[in-house]
């Protein structure tokens, strides 16, 4: 035994025999990869460190897609300790890659087994529900009043001409919460109808923001009128005093935001303590902070007097929600949905906006003066602009899905994916140009 090792062993043994413990600083640092905003992460960091002196929480803020890639690329022993995000399908991806450790022993037994029909904790004990979330619409009341725009109630409302230029959303490739919003709509309406609605809503959008935070920030400050968001963005704005409201459409789902222990983590023991703290009664009460405004996994009767007046009850919302979210389905097409959205919406937004505006103008004219030929042209325009370039049969093809699930570092895989994405991008551009031309022809026919 080396002298330094012997000294460490001797001092440890002596302290133990004397009834003392090693300094708390030996506990080390817990590294947390998360997509959550600093208002939430800093609250948990401060509270945990206060009750666990000597343990430090290091926050690495990455969007969900970046977070998965970060964990995946690091070797055992160098990985972060905790993965914490809103998207259950992202945890299924990590689970499939064998990158999570079982943590079922940390479950808070005061939490129900399910919210609606959805399990709060993963059946295989690889991740826990830490909060609950639904998806919906937030709007700035002053903005809508000033622009004479009605408050929306359903996703479909945002397809109406009155919302043109007043809507904002992010991209599923940049935001796990946006991915869940998009996938909820696709599962609730079906692939073809769901994409048609997404294309029409996006055509009415003023922007596809770089990060999911850009949507609520823009609605809070009056840059945008309406945003498609996870509920805590809307609730945090409302309870922090901004002139905003939030509503759950009928086509929504309530699912857990999750937390997990990364396999091959650097500090698994302390990481387990942090995870356990986040689902404890004390940790759950932090969710009611106005700047956080999340929905606890513990029901209102357990949280008792801590529940703010008028606060949403996620278990009641789940009962009336029309979507029973299928995380397995979402996981199988995760990369396809993200890539398809970017190639046909994010990167072609200007062309989609132009086609949408031309269709709205022609429809308004046709309402005032019916015209059979113009109506036929307008129908073709809508089909060109608002039909997905990948049909439902293709997205159910396992070989097709496997291409997007494979490692893109493989040259052949990368070439295949790039080829498909370029094809979608070019098809979208051609479709939008054709739609705009057909709508302009319809307008000319009416005049």
């Amino acid at each position: 035994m080396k002298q330094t090792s012997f000294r460490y062993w001797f001092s440890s043994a002596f302290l133990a025999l004397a009834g003392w413990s090693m300094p708390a600083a030996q506990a080390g640092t817990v590294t947390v990869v998360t997509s959550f905003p600093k208002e939430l992460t800093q609250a948990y960091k401060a509270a945990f460190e206060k009750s666990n002196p000597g343990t430090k929480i290091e926050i690495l803020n990455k969007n969900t897609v970046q977070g998965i890639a970060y964990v995946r690329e690091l070797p055992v022993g160098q990985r972060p300790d905790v993965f914490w995000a809103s998207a259950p399908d992202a945890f299924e991806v990590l689970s499939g890659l064998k990158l999570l450790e079982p943590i079922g022993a940390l479950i808070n037994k005061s939490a129900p087994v399910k919210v609606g029909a959805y399990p709060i904790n993963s059946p295989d004990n690889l991740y826990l529900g830490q909060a609950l979330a639904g998806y919906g619409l937030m709007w700035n009341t002053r903005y809508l009043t000033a622009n004479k725009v009605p408050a929306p109630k359903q996703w479909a409302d945002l397809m109406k001409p009155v919302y043109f230029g007043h809507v904002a959303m992010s991209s599923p490739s940049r935001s796990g919460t946006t991915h869940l919003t998009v996938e909820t709509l696709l599962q609730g309406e079906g692939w073809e109808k769901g994409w048609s609605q997404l294309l029409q809503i996006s055509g009415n959008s003023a922007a596809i923001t770089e990060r999911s935070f850009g949507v609520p920030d823009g609605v809070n400050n009056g840059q945008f009128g309406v945003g498609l968001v996870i509920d805590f963005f809307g609730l945090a704005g409302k309870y922090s005093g901004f002139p905003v409201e939030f509503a759950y459409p009928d086509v929504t789902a309530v699912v857990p935001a999750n937390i997990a222990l990364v396999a091959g983590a650097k500090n698994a023991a302390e990481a387990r303590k942090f995870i356990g703290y986040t689902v404890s009664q004390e940790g759950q009460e932090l969710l009611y902070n106005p700047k956080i405004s999340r929905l606890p996994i513990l029901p209102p009767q357990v949280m008792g007097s801590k529940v703010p007046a008028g606060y949403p009850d996620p278990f009641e919302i789940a009962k009336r929600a029309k979507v029973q979210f299928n995380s397995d389905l979402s996981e199988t097409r995760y990369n396809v949905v993200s890539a398809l959205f970017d190639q046909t919406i994010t990167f072609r937004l200007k062309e989609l906006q132009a086609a949408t505006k031309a269709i709205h103008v022609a429809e308004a004219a046709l309402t005032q003066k019916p015209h059979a030929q113009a109506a036929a042209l307008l129908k073709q325009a809508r089909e060109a602009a608002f039909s997905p370039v990948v049909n439902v049969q293709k997205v159910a093809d396992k070989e097709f899905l496997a291409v997007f699930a494979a490692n893109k570092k493989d040259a052949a895989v990368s070439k295949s994916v790039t080829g498909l994405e370029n094809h979608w991008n070019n098809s979208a551009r051609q479709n939008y140009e054709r739609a705009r031309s057909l709508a302009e022809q319809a307008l000319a026919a009416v005049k």
Side-chain angles (χ1 to χ4, degrees), residues 91-99 331:
F91 288 80
E92 285 298 305
V93 172
L94 289 170
S95 175
L97 295 170
K98 309 298 182 185
L99 289 173
E331 186 268 334

Side-chain angles (χ1 to χ4, degrees), residues 133-345:
Y135 304 88
L137 307 164
M138 70 177 292
W139 61 91
N140 186 300
T141 56
R142 294 175 187 169
Y143 179 108
L144 295 193
T145 299
N147 289 276
K148 298 180 180 180
V149 176
K153 295 181 180 179
Q154 308 293 343
W155 304 118
D157 288 341
L158 300 185
M159 300 187 296
K160 298 174 182 177
V162 70
Y163 290 97
F164 183 82
H166 300 303
V167 181
M169 66 182 300
S170 188
S171 163
S173 69
R174 301 169 180 172
S175 161
T177 58
T178 302
H179 192 283
L180 278 174
T181 305
V182 167
E183 185 64 45
T184 296
L185 183 55
L186 294 176
Q187 290 189 22
E189 299 289 4
W191 182 264
E192 303 285 350
K193 184 179 178 181
W195 272 109
S196 178
Q197 288 194 6
L198 280 169
L199 288 163
Q200 292 179 72
I201 292 168
S202 300
N204 274 346
S205 293
I208 304 296
T209 63
E210 289 288 337
R211 291 293 303 272
S212 58
F213 308 138
V215 177
D217 287 350
V219 175
N220 284 337
N221 65 33
Q223 179 184 359
F224 309 124
V226 184
L228 285 73
V229 298
I230 190 171
D231 54 11
F232 75 84
F233 281 145
L235 297 174
K238 178 178 179 177
Y239 287 107
S240 295
F242 290 99
V244 301
E245 291 292 340
F246 175 85
Y248 297 94
D250 292 338
V251 180
T252 192
V254 177
V255 297
N258 300 288
I259 192 165
L261 177 65
V262 176
K266 293 177 288 186
N267 190 1
E270 298 299 322
R272 288 177 183 273
K273 290 183 181 179
F274 178 73
I275 292 170
Y277 177 80
T278 68
V279 299
S280 69
Q281 181 87 18
E282 181 180 344
Q284 290 289 289
E285 288 174 2
L286 290 177
L287 297 172
Y288 291 135
N289 181 317
K291 293 183 179 180
I292 298 175
S293 293
R294 286 211 169 216
L295 310 179
I297 58 169
L298 303 179
Q301 57 267 33
V302 174
M303 300 303 286
S305 61
K306 298 292 184 179
V307 183
Y311 209 75
D313 182 345
F315 298 94
E316 289 300 317
I317 296 166
K319 286 179 183 178
R320 63 176 186 267
K322 290 187 176 180
V323 182
Q324 297 300 327
F325 192 82
N326 185 334
S327 60
D328 292 332
L329 174 61
S330 179
E331 186 268 334
T332 61
R333 63 194 194 188
Y334 192 96
N335 294 327
V336 173
V337 168
S338 293
L340 186 58
F341 189 98
D342 276 343
Q343 298 303 326
T344 64
I345 295 175

